[in-house]
Amino acid sequence: MSIQRADVLEALKVVKLPSTDNNIVEGGAIQEVVISGDKISIVAKVNTPVLHVKKAVENGIEEALKAAFPSAIVNVTMQVEMAKPVIEEEVILPNIKNIVAVASGKGGVGKSTITANLAVQMAKMGFKVGLVDADIYGPSMPIMFDVEKERPLGKEVNGKQVMVPVENYGVKLLSIGFFTDPDQAVAWRGSMATKALKQIIFDADWGELDFLLIDLPPGTGDIHLTLVQSVPVTAAVVVSTPQIVALADARKGAGLFNMDAIKVPVLGFIENMAYFTPAELPENKYYIFGKDGTKKLAADMGLPVLAEIPLVQSIREAGDIGRPISLQENTPEAKAFYKMTQNVVEETIKRNKNLPPTEKVRMSETAGCTAN
Ligand SMILES: Nc1ncnc2c1ncn2[C@@H]1O[C@H](COP(=O)(O)OP(=O)(O)O)[C@@H](O)[C@H]1O
Ligand SMILES: [Mg+2]
């Protein structure tokens, strides 16, 4: 007797959908069922990149089908797809599921290094990732992604001219550095940059994205306001070093997103240059910028520390030659960025589960900010 699709679906109902009370069939995890003779091919999706969860579902499907159809050849393909927050009103950027801003109080704390590695690692995990380099003071993504000489091409979509992001290491990139002249005064660059930022986000052919990461300039300026006014930023992360001066500014950086009218959830802090480790003494940790400062600030603001990234020469070198260290496998540095990325993804999932989607913000010159 031939295998019926309905029987396959019935058999799959014994497999639980992770972190729900539902099974994978009713929970909508089954994307495709193809039956060809005694071959059953299943495509299933989970909303977390956590390996053991993915594996548990995959094994569950195999076991359930083997039990129901002992002579069948079972083939399971797993996909990872992020849950999208439910948006009831106007959907801005419907193809982009999560917009995550990476901010810092001070410059030079490693914000771009963190963002580049977050993007590369997310892409390695199977997410569709875009990256906007919005740092007017020092756009560094073209160097970090080794695409300094490239320029985005134009393309017409539905009669509208759009930019095609430059792509490397599985990450789609647009940088303000592609459009502004570094020799121009920052103020002039700034007014062009706010305009360019909107174009980069709205007039670009991003396609479907799980994450659009935004590398913001340090501090809290026009670019930050333009961003929260233009798009619903899903969440922000704040990068700091353990130095007292950096922490004071990091608090202000996080404070901007916390403002009543802005209310972009801050997922947590990333401590960069947490300690120095020399290549020849990989077990040694020297807390040259101080210890536990970020932990204290985070605890004080009720936020988690998502990562502690060491100061290691190879991280700097990898950035300088345009090959973020997350491209490596199994080095301690790459592992630190892997853990960081996992935490950012998990906190984003939690945020989407527990909080409503972010609203765009309308600013008024006199009254500060009012939510839309
Ligand atoms: N964890 C780290 N270890 C070693 N060097 C780092 C680390 N993080 C950043 N750097 C280096 O510090 C400098 C500033 O980092 P960058 O990411 O450009 O900072 P920001 O974007 O905050 O200005 C760069 O030369 C970068 O390679
Ligand atoms: Mg930077």
Side-chain angles (χ1 to χ4, degrees), residues 31 43-48 54 77-81:
Q31 299 297 291
V43 179
K45 71 165 186 221
V46 287
N47 65 1
T48 162
K54 214 162 81 175
T77 308
M78 294 300 297
Q79 290 176 342
V80 176
E81 193 185 273

Side-chain angles (χ1 to χ4, degrees), residues 106-305:
K106 259 169 67 72
V109 296
K111 183 170 39 59
S112 301
T113 304
I114 298 290
T115 315
N117 280 287
L118 184 60
V120 167
Q121 188 56 61
M122 280 178 165
K124 274 174 79 175
M125 285 175 172
F127 292 112
K128 299 190 190 84
V129 187
L131 172 49
V132 167
D133 177 4
D135 191 346
I136 43 169
Y137 303 106
S140 46
M141 289 308 169
I143 292 178
M144 289 191 181
F145 277 81
D146 195 20
V147 291
E148 227 186 332
K149 301 244 153 58
E150 291 187 39
R151 287 292 173 272
L153 301 173
K155 173 179 162 184
E156 210 180 279
V157 174
N158 301 331
K160 188 178 160 190
Q161 198 62 28
V162 295
M163 287 174 269
V164 182
V166 167
E167 198 167 334
N168 204 5
Y169 313 133
V171 176
K172 291 180 179 171
L173 171 69
L174 281 175
S175 171
I176 250 167
F178 291 145
F179 309 100
T180 55
D181 178 353
D183 295 331
Q184 268 164 346
V186 167
W188 171 236
R189 247 190 287 155
S191 68
M192 289 196 307
T194 49
K195 204 170 141 218
L197 177 64
K198 283 193 214 166
Q199 285 178 348
I200 281 177
I201 294 176
F202 288 103
D203 302 340
D205 183 28
W206 291 108
E208 297 252 337
L209 292 182
D210 294 307
F211 287 95
L212 181 63
L213 305 178
I214 320 267
D215 185 16
L216 285 168
T220 55
D222 284 348
I223 287 280
H224 301 72
L225 297 183
T226 303
L227 181 71
V228 293
Q229 280 175 289
S230 312
V231 296
V233 178
T234 313
V237 295
V238 180
V239 180
S240 183
T241 64
Q243 250 182 313
I244 306 269
V245 280
L247 290 168
D249 287 353
R251 180 190 284 275
K252 284 185 216 150
L256 171 83
F257 295 106
N258 275 341
M259 279 173 65
D260 264 357
I262 293 181
K263 278 209 194 105
V264 168
V266 178
L267 300 179
F269 289 96
I270 293 171
E271 186 174 69
N272 190 28
M273 312 192 192
Y275 49 85
F276 167 68
T277 294
E280 61 280 11
L281 293 168
E283 300 303 320
N284 287 29
K285 295 179 176 180
Y286 301 95
Y287 294 89
I288 52 181
F289 291 129
K291 195 166 179 255
D292 292 338
T294 310
K295 254 187 224 141
K296 285 190 194 126
L297 171 61
D300 197 38
M301 295 187 79
L303 292 168
V305 176

Side-chain angles (χ1 to χ4, degrees), residues 78-98:
M78 294 300 297
Q79 290 176 342
V80 176
E81 193 185 273
M82 293 290 296
K84 188 174 166 51
V86 185
I87 299 178
E88 280 134 20
E89 320 159 12
E90 167 202 19
V91 182
I92 306 162
L93 300 167
N95 294 327
I96 301 179
K97 289 182 183 145
N98 296 286

Side-chain angles (χ1 to χ4, degrees), residues 40-63:
I40 310 174
S41 300
I42 303 287
V43 179
K45 71 165 186 221
V46 287
N47 65 1
T48 162
V50 179
L51 270 183
H52 67 265
V53 176
K54 214 162 81 175
K55 200 72 204 159
V57 174
E58 187 176 344
N59 291 343
I61 293 174
E62 273 167 9
E63 279 162 26

